[in-house]
Amino acid sequence: MTEENEMAAKSAAESNPTHSGFVALIGPTNAGKSTLVNRFVGAKVSIVSHKVQTTRAIVRGIAIHNNAQIVFMDTPGIFKPRRRLDRAMVTSAWGGAKDADLIMLLIDSERGLRGDAEAILEGLKDVPQKKILVLNKIDRVNRELLLAIAATANQKVDFDQTFMISAENGSGCDDVMDYLAKTLPEGPWYYPEDQISDLPMRQLAAEITREKLFLRLHQELPYSSHVETEKWEERKDGSVRIEQVIYVERDSQKKIALGKGGETIKAISSASRRELSEILEQPVHLFLFVKVRENWGDDPERFREMGLEFPH
Ligand SMILES: Nc1nc2c(ncn2[C@@H]2O[C@H](COP(=O)(O)OP(=O)(O)OP(=O)(O)O)[C@@H](O)[C@H]2O)c(=O)[nH]1
Ligand SMILES: [Mg+2]
């Protein structure tokens, strides 16, 4: 570079400095937090389902917008915990908020502020970071209702801004990104430019299978199960062999997970395999084993696998 070019580059960098920071997405379960993180990142980094309590631990999704690198922390939904796993999930969500530069409260506009949302607003009052309110699923409700929710929430918590979006169809999402890119502090980026998540591939693969399980199984079963990747073998022919274990709590659950003639597990396996080979861009041989482990919900090792603190 000539001296002149170097000076020009330096002054461009000074007038357009990089920004970076951590944004925690918190909210009631099923508000659309994971859907929104995937949209911001532009790839699937966190699993989504129509069921509550899909996300179990914090997933970081990394996006670049203008000259900012924005690290989104997708957190488990906040609800009234019953089991030990519930408590660990809710604790991890509030922990994510504590670690963030900025907190985004995501509300399902159709459900409004009843129940868990009210308790979260109460909890946010004393949180010192800058907070924004994001009303999601605006494709489902009318404008008057949105304005009413925004007014009530803003009376309770001092939000810097309110946005109205649809994580599903993308409307309003660019405005949020513009705001974040200029509001996050100036500073160097935290991650390499091409990194989109902090989740190791083995764990993402387990999550993808867990998503298929959430979509296929019903009642208490999704909540009584847990997936771990046990083996990952790259083969000479360019394919990969992945072995995963689905833990359930009782033998009766194992029967349901397998299904008649194994048809349920086969459907879960082929849906997961298809998505994994798309993500990995290579052929995948997926082997799923269902094991009964009665008290996995009280086993510290399982919590560690998930990236959760074990609550005593
Ligand atoms: N109509 C509509 N549905 C949405 C929108 N955003 C998300 N959803 C749906 O809402 C459901 C929950 O989405 P998730 O992204 O899993 O919600 P979450 O907040 O991460 O949920 P937990 O991880 O369980 O706390 C899914 O069925 C999504 O497809 C939206 O803008 N409009
Ligand atoms: Mg989620």
Side-chain angles (χ1 to χ4, degrees):
M1 221 189 263
T2 65
E3 202 174 323
E4 213 168 274
N5 283 348
E6 220 170 289
M7 297 258 294
K10 204 169 153 215
S11 101
E14 269 163 15
S15 61
N16 196 17
T18 57
H19 290 238
S20 60
F22 290 82
V23 176
L25 271 93
I26 68 164
T29 179
N30 212 45
K33 300 177 293 299
S34 303
T35 308
L36 185 58
V37 167
N38 291 340
R39 172 163 292 282
F40 283 150
V41 171
K44 177 137 155 200
V45 293
S46 193
I47 63 169
V48 167
S49 89
H50 58 289
K51 292 195 171 72
V52 297
Q53 296 159 37
T54 304
T55 305
R56 286 185 178 161
I58 292 176
V59 176
R60 289 177 181 176
I62 306 156
I64 291 170
H65 188 71
N66 301 336
N67 48 339
Q69 186 178 57
I70 309 167
V71 186
F72 292 100
M73 294 195 277
D74 183 19
T75 67
I78 296 172
F79 59 102
K80 223 188 209 145
R82 286 184 299 127
R83 306 165 305 164
R84 194 193 291 268
L85 177 61
D86 301 347
R87 269 192 285 143
M89 284 159 58
V90 173
T91 304
S92 126
W94 281 113
K98 222 172 55 199
D99 292 340
D101 295 296
L102 193 145
I103 297 169
M104 182 187 297
L105 172 63
L106 195 66
I107 296 290
D108 174 346
S109 310
E110 203 172 27
R111 214 176 329 146
L113 296 176
R114 274 160 290 144
D116 295 325
E118 194 147 25
I120 300 169
L121 283 169
E122 198 55 44
L124 270 181
K125 274 185 187 161
D126 307 321
V127 174
Q129 289 102 315
K130 192 171 268 193
K131 297 169 276 288
I132 60 172
L133 175 67
V134 177
L135 304 183
N136 188 30
K137 308 196 188 179
I138 61 168
D139 51 296
R140 289 279 185 81
V141 297
N142 65 42
R143 190 148 177 90
E144 279 102 82
L145 184 58
L146 289 173
L147 294 175
I149 299 172
T152 309
N154 275 284
Q155 269 164 17
K156 296 194 170 153
V157 174
D158 181 23
F159 289 109
D160 192 48
Q161 292 264 348
T162 298
F163 296 91
M164 298 175 186
I165 66 154
S166 168
E168 196 144 274
N169 69 26
S171 99
C173 292
D174 276 349
D175 294 341
V176 181
M177 284 293 253
D178 288 343
Y179 166 87
L180 293 174
K182 64 171 197 268
T183 308
L184 287 174
E186 274 182 28
W189 293 358
Y190 290 96
Y191 293 93
E193 205 166 325
D194 56 355
Q195 189 170 344
I196 57 168
S197 161
D198 72 332
L199 213 57
M201 213 46 233
R202 289 171 74 108
Q203 227 167 313
L204 179 64
E207 283 288 274
I208 299 287
T209 299
R210 196 165 64 79
E211 180 188 79
K212 306 312 169 206
L213 212 134
F214 259 64
L215 297 174
R216 274 269 163 183
L217 301 176
H218 306 291
Q219 281 146 6
E220 93 289 2
L221 241 171
Y223 305 101
S224 302
S225 48
H226 164 58
V227 183
E228 284 180 22
T229 301
E230 300 250 300
K231 261 201 195 139
W232 188 288
E233 194 182 278
E234 297 288 342
R235 290 177 153 185
K236 282 206 191 80
D237 63 4
S239 66
V240 57
R241 179 192 166 96
I242 303 172
E243 292 181 19
Q244 295 179 327
V245 178
I246 299 173
Y247 290 107
V248 294
E249 287 170 327
R250 287 190 295 281
D251 210 42
S252 57
Q253 294 173 335
K254 177 174 172 173
K255 282 203 186 83
I256 300 171
L258 293 174
K260 213 182 273 164
E263 65 186 21
T264 304
I265 193 78
K266 263 185 227 152
I268 291 171
S269 177
S270 74
S272 180
R273 182 181 49 74
R274 232 175 296 136
E275 187 163 340
L276 283 171
S277 32
E278 246 171 65
I279 294 175
L280 295 166
E281 297 176 327
Q282 68 187 129
V284 171
H285 309 280
L286 179 63
F287 296 85
L288 297 182
F289 305 92
V290 184
K291 285 190 189 164
V292 179
R293 186 172 280 180
E294 259 173 48
N295 296 318
W296 72 257
D298 292 309
D299 175 0
E301 180 58 31
R302 304 277 79 74
F303 283 63
R304 215 164 44 108
E305 267 289 328
M306 285 184 246
L308 290 171
E309 297 261 347
F310 184 72
H312 290 279

